[in-house]
Amino acid sequence: MSDSYFPRWKLADETVPGAVIAPDERLSWPKNVAMGAQHVVAMFGSTVLAPLIMGFDPNVAILMSGIGTLIFFLFVGGRVPSYLGSSFAFIGGVVAVTGYAGAGPNANIGVALGAIIACGLAYALIGVVVWFANARAGGGANWIEALMPPVVTGAVVAVIGLNLAPIAAKGAMGASGFDAAMAIVTILCVGGIAVYTRGTVQRLLILVGLLLACVIYALCANVLGLGKPIDFSGVAAAAWVGLPHFTAPVFQTQAMGLIVPVAIILVAENLGHIKAVSAMTGQNLDRYLGRAFVGDGVATMVSGAVGGTGVTTYAENIGVMAVTRIYSTLVFVLAALIAIVLGFSPKFGALIQTIPAPVLGGMSVVVFGLIAVAGARIWVVNQVDFSNNRNLIVAAVTLVLGAGDFTIKLGDFTLGGIGTATFGAIILYALLQHSGRRVV
């Protein structure tokens, strides 16, 4: 590996079918652009859905996902292939601090933005500690894994989905029987694509399912007159090129207390990303872990400063890398540039805003459920032993604290259910680490 900060990106041998393209290699430029576009498509569904659920401007979210990816690229020196998109870990906290009811723009978005910036700062500071600790330890990350083992990270990830379940259910029920029916149709669309399709379509199940559900809704509402029609007048009136709607942050202690703990979740997500890419490429990327945390944290701060969502490394793009076996980090630079261009198109944003509320409600049920199940998957993949009393108690307590939104208030400081569950899981595991008695 080169001693320079950035790789030299030598041209890969494209004559070998299915050959692995390493992070420090590149394809021909036409193929690089095509792969970048594919990564934009892969992240698009989730990156747009998260801001819509929180009442944020999707144009800003798309724009900041591209800028955030470039920031991450700079901090890791182009060594770690990754795309940063809207994080679902923030949704519960944002809805709680803003009181967002799920209809149109979020009127209290500024309060959430200030808390997102504070979370990004906490995340970046954790990254600085890891950066210097890893430098002393020669790049190892064992101490992080000891602090947040799979039983803890799995429980915390599951809690995010469970904490959001009431919001998803309310959104899916809607205001009428037609709304509820269309939410169920949306769920069936995503489920059908997940089960009955293969290849690229299956990997883009959120995006394709969303499009299919919107088409069915338009047929039922706009053609048959069964519900509120989709209004495309805003799309026709919007300009092709223009600035998105930026928003200034507002800093409130209570809001920060609810959202800052999300940094722990982002650490777990990024750690999993680094481990997954290391396994796929055969390269030990632990040495870049601290720099990756700092890059992600700074990207979240920059995004929050202008009205964007918090960002995180995206599993959807890991899936694309796994299928294509192309890990060139230059591909993600091109993907970021494409996203930035899309972010400056008001017409593109207006089109996103036409997505019907019942469709968003159905998608919320699927996405939040997938988040909860992703936590359980961490347990299964890592073979967490629930006959061990320590693991059993940590998981059980964490799930109930998070799902029940157990909130702690100390003066002006408030720690919501996700934060309580996160810190509770870490502390409880540490306190019980010498207990290994098995369930009889």
Side-chain angles (χ1 to χ4, degrees):
M1 186 172 286
S2 172
D3 292 330
S4 60
Y5 187 76
F6 291 104
R8 299 184 186 278
W9 290 293
K10 59 185 178 181
L11 185 62
D13 182 4
E14 299 180 39
T15 61
V16 182
V20 173
I21 308 300
D24 58 351
E25 295 181 325
R26 68 175 177 86
L27 299 165
S28 60
W29 285 111
K31 290 185 178 179
N32 270 336
V33 173
M35 279 302 303
Q38 179 166 292
H39 276 289
V40 170
V41 173
M43 67 81 190
F44 180 83
S46 298
T47 294
V48 167
L49 184 61
L52 289 177
I53 292 173
M54 292 185 284
F56 284 39
D57 186 335
N59 266 61
V60 177
I62 290 290
L63 172 65
M64 297 316 298
S65 75
I67 293 175
T69 298
L70 294 180
I71 291 173
F72 181 89
F73 176 87
L74 291 175
F75 271 97
V76 299
R79 305 286 181 176
V80 180
S82 180
Y83 192 94
L84 269 58
S86 303
S87 173
F88 285 86
F90 288 92
I91 295 177
V94 168
V95 171
V97 301
T98 62
Y100 182 61
N106 191 330
N108 297 319
I109 185 176
V111 175
L113 296 177
I116 288 173
I117 293 173
C119 179
L121 176 60
Y123 188 12
L125 291 176
I126 293 172
V128 170
V129 172
V130 175
W131 191 337
F132 285 100
N134 279 5
R136 286 192 169 191
N142 293 335
W143 65 278
I144 301 177
E145 296 173 26
L147 185 66
M148 295 187 298
V151 65
V152 171
T153 55
V156 170
V157 172
V159 155
I160 300 173
L162 294 175
N163 187 268
L164 296 169
I167 300 171
K170 183 178 179 181
M173 287 186 292
S176 66
F178 175 76
D179 288 350
M182 287 310 307
I184 294 172
V185 168
T186 302
I187 295 169
L188 293 175
C189 285
V190 177
I193 290 167
V195 174
Y196 297 113
T197 63
R198 295 291 182 270
T200 303
V201 174
Q202 187 182 58
R203 292 199 170 275
L204 301 178
L205 62 98
I206 295 294
L207 177 61
V208 178
L210 185 68
L211 292 174
L212 180 58
C214 286
V215 170
I216 295 174
Y217 184 97
L219 289 174
C220 293
N222 292 55
V223 178
L224 301 178
L226 299 178
K228 181 181 179 181
I230 300 176
D231 183 6
F232 293 102
S233 60
V235 179
W240 282 101
V241 179
L243 289 174
H245 297 93
F246 296 123
T247 307
V250 175
F251 296 92
Q252 289 187 3
T253 304
Q254 182 174 343
M256 289 188 284
L258 279 167
I259 293 179
V260 165
V262 172
I264 303 298
I265 301 166
L266 300 179
V267 166
E269 288 180 341
N270 210 330
L271 175 63
H273 175 94
I274 297 292
K275 292 295 183 181
V277 175
S278 294
M280 289 189 294
T281 61
Q283 298 181 6
N284 186 352
L285 300 175
D286 282 357
R287 73 186 72 180
Y288 304 112
L289 198 58
R291 285 157 62 172
F293 291 170
V294 174
D296 200 350
V298 171
T300 293
M301 293 171 67
V302 173
S303 179
V306 298
T309 62
V311 295
T312 187
T313 50
Y314 251 37
E316 288 88 340
N317 298 92
I318 295 178
V320 172
M321 286 190 284
V323 171
T324 62
R325 306 182 76 185
I326 297 173
Y327 307 102
S328 173
T329 52
L330 282 181
V331 168
F332 292 93
V333 173
L334 294 170
L337 294 176
I338 294 172
I340 290 171
V341 170
L342 291 176
F344 284 111
S345 175
K347 190 173 289 290
F348 172 73
L351 181 63
I352 295 172
Q353 294 287 0
T354 62
I355 298 174
V359 173
L360 282 178
M363 292 298 297
S364 297
V365 171
V366 174
V367 171
F368 297 165
L370 288 174
I371 294 173
V373 173
R377 185 176 182 274
I378 291 174
W379 293 334
V380 174
V381 170
N382 292 277
Q383 299 180 335
V384 174
D385 182 10
F386 282 108
S387 65
N388 182 307
N389 280 358
R390 176 184 55 188
N391 293 338
L392 192 64
I393 294 298
V394 168
V397 172
T398 303
L399 291 178
V400 172
L401 289 179
D405 198 23
F406 186 89
T407 302
I408 296 176
K409 294 185 178 180
L410 298 172
D412 292 332
F413 178 79
T414 301
L415 192 63
I418 293 177
T420 303
T422 299
F423 289 119
I426 295 172
I427 295 171
L428 192 58
Y429 184 87
L431 292 175
L432 301 178
Q433 63 179 332
H434 297 299
S435 172
R437 295 184 61 187
R438 304 175 77 86
V439 176
V440 178

